[in-house]
Amino acid sequence: LHKLCSVFGAFFRMKFPQVWNEIRNNNAKEGWSTPSFLHHEHICSPRIFITDCIGNESHKDFHDIGPCVVFWIKESPEDEESDWQFIFEAVSTGEGDCKRDSLTIQINDGLVLVFDGRKVRHCTSIPDPNSKRKYAVYHGASK
């Protein structure tokens, strides 16, 4: 977990420094600190949630503070991609006959999303029960 979060944190800090700082500062304001066994300069949040093939209902994260970042990884590099989807509800895209009232993103190995769960409804579809395991790793700040 330490290596995974520190390597991802270094990538995230380099690509999205403003969001990385916001997540880190929001955690500090709430009094959260990284436990000594997980301490590393690149870890942006001591609040780390790992899910395994989660499927949930559309919701907002009212207890979050600011943006979060989530990335997905497969259990094994040999695993095939699954039918798992991340859905932003009530996010309109396109025009005319191409207009859609939600945004659906195929979850693939290495997908990174940055969003504010307080402001947009979101959920994940339930993957095929026979799909290989895929994990979501969330970093953010909560009250």
Side-chain angles (χ1 to χ4, degrees):
L1 182 61
H2 181 272
K3 183 171 181 161
L4 176 70
C5 290
S6 59
V7 169
F8 175 75
F11 160 81
F12 185 55
R13 187 178 195 181
M14 181 180 67
K15 296 290 185 181
F16 303 96
Q18 184 177 358
V19 179
W20 185 93
N21 282 323
E22 187 174 353
I23 291 172
R24 188 152 181 156
N25 291 336
N26 286 341
N27 276 288
K29 286 178 198 170
E30 289 297 313
W32 297 106
S33 60
T34 307
S36 59
F37 66 87
L38 198 57
H39 184 71
H40 191 280
E41 66 178 317
H42 294 302
I43 293 177
C44 67
S45 173
R47 311 256 312 151
I48 302 166
F49 299 93
I50 300 174
T51 62
D52 177 9
C53 290
I54 190 173
N56 55 17
E57 293 184 21
S58 180
H59 65 282
K60 287 186 179 180
D61 298 316
F62 293 108
H63 293 289
D64 282 3
I65 302 169
C68 72
V69 61
V70 58
F71 68 95
W72 282 267
I73 52 175
K74 296 188 293 188
E75 185 170 48
S76 168
E78 291 81 34
D79 291 346
E80 296 175 12
E81 297 299 338
S82 73
D83 59 343
W84 205 14
Q85 308 282 323
F86 192 89
I87 303 161
F88 288 109
E89 187 179 281
V91 174
S92 295
T93 60
E95 296 179 9
D97 292 341
C98 296
K99 186 172 182 173
R100 301 289 179 261
D101 293 327
S102 64
L103 175 63
T104 303
I105 301 168
Q106 175 71 39
I107 297 175
N108 292 310
D109 190 45
L111 175 67
V112 176
L113 290 177
V114 177
F115 66 99
D116 191 334
R118 301 169 305 166
K119 296 180 180 178
V120 63
R121 295 185 70 77
H122 58 281
C123 63
T124 51
S125 65
I126 298 174
D128 179 330
N130 298 318
S131 294
K132 300 292 184 181
R133 298 174 84 177
K134 195 175 291 182
Y135 303 95
V137 183
Y138 296 83
H139 293 267
S142 299
K143 296 178 187 177

